[in-house]
Amino acid sequence: MAQPSTGLPRQAPAPRPQQVTAHDAVLCVNAPAMAASGPDGQLRGQGLHGFFRAGVRTLARMELRLGGIEPMPLQGTLTSAAGARFVGAVRLPGDPDPDPALTVERLRHADGVESITIRNTGARPARLPLEIALGTDLGLLTDIAAGRRSADLPGQVQSAGLRWTGQGRSATVSAQPSPHAVLAGAGVLRWDLEVQAGARWSVELRAELETAPSAVRPPTGRGPGIPLPWAEPEVRSDDARAVQLLARSLDTLGGLLIADPDRPTDLYAASGAPWRFGLTAADALWAARLTLPLGTRLAAGTLRALARRQHLTGGPGADQGAPANPANPADAGPPTRPDGLIPGPLRHAGPELPPSCTATEATLLFVTVLAEAWRWGLPRQEVAELLPAAERALSTLRGALGDGVEGPEGFVIDLGRTAEDRAARPAAARCEVQALAHRAALHGADLLAGFGRPGAEEWRAWAARLRERFRERFWIDDLSGGRPAAALLPGARVVPAVAASFVHLLDRGLGGEGELHEGLLDREQTRILAQRLVAPELDAGWGLRTLSAKSPRFNPLGHRSGAVRVHETVLAVSGLAEAGFEREAGVLLEGVLDAARSFEGRLPEMYAGEQRVAHCPPVPHPAACRPAAVSAAAAVHLVLSLAGVRPDVPAGRVAVRPASTAPLGELQLTGLRVAGEPFSVRVSRIGVAVVEEASARLQLGAG
C-alpha cells in the first residue's frame, strides 16, 4: 500500500563510511607503534595516514611546505620494517637553473620520530620559510579502519611544539631546534630558513601519546635489553631472491613482536598491521612454528602467553580468554565454551562454508607447536610446565567429534561451539580441521609418551581411526582422478569445492627420529592432490588460489574465494617436497619467489588470485595486512625448509634431507639453532647436504 505524501522533500540516506585500504601506503611498524602515509611522505589526515600507538592515532597530519610549495615527490620506500625514507625536491623561486636546488629528505620511524633534512645544492643561498602543518583527531584505529573520521582537535602551544587533548587522551609534537613561530589556531610550526649554498639544515620532530591510567595493561613492544627470540641467520644462495626474502621477512617479523603484559620477556607476534595489530592465537602459533629452525624462544613465549589465556572451567584462572588487545574483544569468546580452548575470533571461510572459529585452529596448533619445539630443543623443564595446557587442549579435542546429528559422525567439528549451539545448528567437518586434529593427536601422543603420561596409545589409535574414516568418506572420485572434499555436512553430504585449504593434508608434522608423521592421505591420493595443486584452476602462477578458478563463486580478491594466501602456498611447497613431489613443489616455489620480488621481499598476507601475465606484477589486495606475521614467517620457512633439517633433540639426533632437485641452487645456511646451539648446513647444486656446524650432543643422519 502506497504511503501518503507529506509534501516534504525526501531526505537522502546518510552515506555509509567507506572502508579504509592500505595497499598503496608506506607502512612502518614497530609494535605497538606504526606510521602510514602515501609515497610522498605527507601525512594528510585522510584514510590511514598518521602515527599510531597502541591503537590510537597520535598524529594525523604532518604536511611540509617550503616557501609555500610542497616538495615534488621523488622516492618513498621502507628502509626497514620500522623505518622509511622519503625524498623530494624544490626549485628556488626565480632560479633560472631548470634543476631543483633543494632536496628534502624525511627519515621516519614508526615510534613517532621524524628527521627532516634540507640540502641546498644550488649556487646561491636559499632564503624561504619552512612550514609544517600538524593536526590530530586522537581517533581509534578500529574507527578509522571502518571509515569513521572525527574532526581535528584544537591545538595549544606547548614549549617547542603543539599539544592536543580529547577523549581522555593527549598528544604532543615537539621540535628540535624550536620553531621561530607556532600558530596554534592553524596548527603550524614555522622556521625562517637561510641555507647557504652547499649546506644543509635539519629538524627532528617527535610525536608522543599520553593516556589516562587503566586497569588493563596495554601491550608493549620488545623492550630495551630483550633480545630477538630467534637467531639471525646468514644465507648464501645461487638464487638472490631467497637471500632478500629471508632477510626482509625476519625484519618484518621483528617489527610485529609484542611483549606479553603478564611477563614482558615472553614475546609473541602480532597478527599483522594495520588491521590485526594484536594477539590472534592461531597466527601467533603459526609464526612461532614456522620459525623453529631459528630457535625455540618465540615458540616458548607464545605458548606461555596462550597457556595463561586458555579457558579453564571454574577455579583460579577461569575465563582467561580475555584478549591481549582490548580493542579486539572478539578474542575473548563466551565463558561457556569448552575447557581447554585457546581463544580466537571467527573468520570468514569463503562462500561455501559458514565462518570458522580460529579457536579450533589455535587449540590444535598449541599441541603441535609444543611437540615440535620439544623436538627442536625446547628445554625439557619448559615443556613439562606447558604440558598440562596441552593435555587440556587434547581433552577439548576428545569432545569435538560429531555424532551424526550435530555434525558428521566421527569427524571433528569446531571445538569452540557450546553445547547449546551444537544442538541448535549442525556443523560442518572441515577438511583442514581433520588434518590439524590428526596431527595434534599424534603430537599429543609423542608428548605423553615422552613425559611418562598416560594416554599415548589411545591417541595414536584415535588418529588411526580418523585416518581410516577420512580416506573412505572425505575422498571424492571424479574423472580427473579424485580430490578431497572441502568439508562434510550432516547426512553424509559433501562440499565439493576445490580449495587451497587442501594443503594442510600435506603438513604431516615432525615426529621422532627425524621422521614425519603419517598423513590422512595415502600415497596415491597424495600424488593426485599434487597434480591438482599445480593445475591452472588453483595455481595462479604466483601461488595457490584459495578457491578454484572454475568455481562459479571465484573472486580473485576474495579472502577465501580466490585470493592467494602466502602461507598456504608455502605449506604446499614444503609438504610436496617432503612427500617426494619436488617438480610440483618447484613450480609453486618459483611463483612465490617471483611474487616476493614484486613486493620487494616483503610478502603481504595475500594478493589477488588473477592468472599470471607476462611482465605484470601480482595485484595487491586492498584489505591485506602488510606486514603480516604468518606470511613473513612462512617466507622464512620457505627458504629454510629446503635444507630439510629434521631434529629430534630428545633422542640426540638430527637428520638432514634436502630437496634433491636443489631448486635454489647451492644453499648455505649459517646460524640456525638446534638444541639451543648453532647449526649450519650447506646444500650443493646436486642436492647433497653437508652439516658444517652442530652441537656435539647430536648424532647426524641423512636421507
Side-chain angles (χ1 to χ4, degrees):
M1 178 178 178
Q3 297 294 319
S5 171
T6 62
L8 298 175
R10 296 182 64 184
Q11 187 174 11
R16 297 178 63 184
Q18 186 173 3
Q19 185 176 11
V20 173
T21 62
H23 63 281
D24 56 350
V26 178
L27 191 64
C28 311
V29 174
N30 190 38
M34 69 177 185
S37 75
D40 62 356
Q42 300 277 46
L43 305 182
R44 303 186 185 275
Q46 62 191 30
L48 196 65
H49 283 203
F51 285 101
F52 293 80
R53 178 167 287 275
V56 176
R57 180 150 61 184
T58 306
L59 189 66
R61 290 192 302 110
M62 185 164 64
E63 298 177 82
L64 181 153
R65 290 179 175 82
L66 267 175
I69 301 171
E70 286 196 21
M72 176 176 59
L74 301 177
Q75 185 185 65
T77 187
L78 290 177
T79 55
S80 69
R85 178 176 184 257
F86 305 92
V87 179
V90 175
R91 290 189 66 235
L92 290 170
D95 194 337
D97 192 332
D99 299 323
L102 300 180
T103 58
V104 180
E105 180 188 61
R106 304 171 71 163
L107 298 178
R108 176 173 300 157
H109 194 277
D111 286 344
V113 177
E114 182 149 337
S115 174
I116 300 169
T117 299
I118 297 167
R119 294 181 177 86
N120 181 3
T121 57
R124 59 191 180 93
R127 299 180 180 89
L128 71 176
L130 167 66
E131 293 181 331
I132 301 178
L134 305 167
T136 188
D137 57 355
L138 290 175
L140 295 176
L141 176 59
T142 49
D143 293 332
I144 294 162
R148 296 187 289 271
R149 169 75 159 93
S150 302
D152 278 358
L153 297 166
Q156 300 172 323
V157 177
Q158 175 173 299
S159 59
L162 288 164
R163 181 184 186 89
W164 301 266
T165 302
Q167 306 181 55
R169 301 180 282 271
S170 62
T172 60
V173 171
S174 56
Q176 183 63 38
S178 300
H180 298 143
V182 179
L183 309 177
V188 172
L189 307 183
R190 176 184 171 114
W191 293 262
D192 296 314
L193 302 184
E194 182 172 340
V195 185
Q196 298 298 320
R200 68 180 65 186
W201 180 90
S202 297
V203 61
E204 182 181 273
L205 301 178
R206 185 177 297 270
E208 297 180 286
L209 177 70
E210 300 171 9
T211 57
S214 170
V216 178
R217 284 172 291 182
T220 61
R222 179 170 62 95
I226 298 179
L228 284 168
W230 53 70
E232 296 188 73
E234 181 181 349
V235 56
R236 297 178 183 174
S237 173
D238 291 339
D239 195 323
R241 297 172 299 176
V243 177
Q244 181 195 56
L245 180 60
L246 183 62
R248 294 195 171 176
S249 297
L250 283 174
D251 176 56
T252 292
L253 199 59
L256 291 170
L257 289 177
I258 289 180
D260 188 62
D262 295 324
R263 185 173 172 177
T265 55
D266 283 346
L267 302 176
Y268 55 78
S271 182
W275 317 122
R276 298 196 301 277
F277 210 14
L279 175 60
T280 300
D283 292 352
L285 286 165
W286 274 116
R289 183 186 181 214
L290 295 172
T291 54
L292 279 172
L294 303 179
T296 60
R297 304 322 306 159
L298 181 61
T302 303
L303 289 165
R304 283 194 290 262
L306 294 177
R308 289 190 284 270
R309 289 158 174 78
Q310 188 179 36
H311 181 66
L312 304 176
T313 302
D319 195 24
Q320 292 188 30
N325 180 0
N328 189 10
D331 279 355
T336 56
R337 63 193 168 177
D339 183 27
L341 198 73
I342 304 292
L346 289 175
R347 275 192 187 159
H348 180 60
E352 307 285 350
L353 292 167
S356 60
C357 182
T358 59
T360 299
E361 185 178 11
T363 303
L364 299 173
L365 267 178
F366 186 95
V367 180
T368 282
V369 174
L370 180 60
E372 292 190 338
W374 176 50
R375 298 291 185 195
W376 279 94
L378 183 63
R380 185 176 180 86
Q381 179 58 36
E382 295 186 47
V383 178
E385 291 170 356
L386 289 162
L387 195 53
E391 289 179 301
R392 290 192 292 270
L394 289 170
S395 176
T396 302
L397 171 58
R398 192 186 302 277
L401 291 181
D403 62 4
V405 176
E406 61 189 23
E409 185 175 0
F411 291 103
V412 181
I413 55 180
D414 279 346
L415 275 59
R417 304 185 73 202
T418 64
E420 298 82 3
D421 184 46
R422 290 159 72 102
R425 290 187 302 114
R430 303 168 194 271
C431 172
E432 66 273 21
V433 169
Q434 312 316 304
L436 289 164
H438 179 261
R439 191 177 61 228
L442 293 174
H443 277 142
D446 290 348
L447 288 167
L448 295 173
F451 285 78
R453 303 287 187 94
E457 289 308 313
E458 288 82 355
W459 278 112
R460 291 193 179 104
W462 185 95
R465 291 193 298 271
L466 178 62
R467 190 161 58 243
E468 183 179 357
R469 286 192 298 268
F470 188 93
R471 292 177 182 179
E472 289 178 356
R473 296 185 53 194
F474 252 88
W475 191 259
I476 303 172
D477 290 316
D478 60 21
L479 295 177
S480 63
R483 66 184 187 275
L488 288 187
L489 301 173
R493 293 174 295 151
V494 300
V495 178
V498 176
S501 58
F502 294 165
V503 302
H504 290 277
L505 298 170
L506 301 171
D507 182 11
R508 294 179 287 160
L510 182 61
E513 302 293 322
E515 298 294 336
L516 300 178
H517 282 300
E518 185 175 358
L520 285 175
L521 300 181
D522 62 28
R523 179 68 182 176
E524 178 60 16
Q525 290 170 337
T526 302
R527 184 191 66 79
I528 294 170
L529 177 58
Q531 294 176 345
R532 193 115 201 188
L533 289 175
V534 297
E537 66 172 325
L538 277 180
D539 181 15
W542 304 111
L544 294 175
R545 301 180 175 96
T546 48
L547 186 66
S548 165
K550 294 181 178 180
S551 169
R553 308 186 77 171
F554 169 72
N555 173 5
L557 290 174
H559 284 66
R560 286 291 176 188
S561 56
V564 173
R565 301 182 74 88
V566 172
H567 90 281
E568 289 180 333
T569 303
V570 170
L571 289 179
V573 172
S574 59
L576 289 169
E578 288 167 343
F581 299 100
E582 294 188 13
R583 184 193 68 80
E584 291 84 354
V587 169
L588 297 177
L589 172 67
E590 277 297 310
V592 177
L593 290 175
D594 284 345
R597 182 167 52 189
S598 298
F599 289 107
E600 299 181 335
R602 300 181 187 274
L603 282 164
E605 173 189 16
M606 56 187 166
Y607 40 88
E610 291 188 331
Q611 191 62 40
R612 182 171 181 171
V613 177
H615 311 300
C616 290
V619 175
H621 194 290
C625 282
R626 53 174 201 91
V630 177
S631 62
V636 173
H637 179 72
L638 182 73
V639 177
L640 302 186
S641 67
L642 295 176
V645 180
R646 299 183 191 172
D648 185 357
V649 172
R653 293 177 56 84
V654 59
V656 182
R657 298 170 185 173
S660 62
T661 53
L664 299 178
E666 184 167 327
L667 175 65
Q668 184 172 12
L669 298 171
T670 303
L672 308 184
R673 286 292 185 274
V674 180
E677 297 185 34
F679 187 92
S680 301
V681 61
R682 177 170 51 85
V683 181
S684 72
R685 294 183 181 92
I686 58 173
V688 176
V690 176
V691 175
E692 299 183 327
E693 183 179 22
S695 168
R697 296 183 288 126
L698 296 175
Q699 179 182 350
L700 304 180

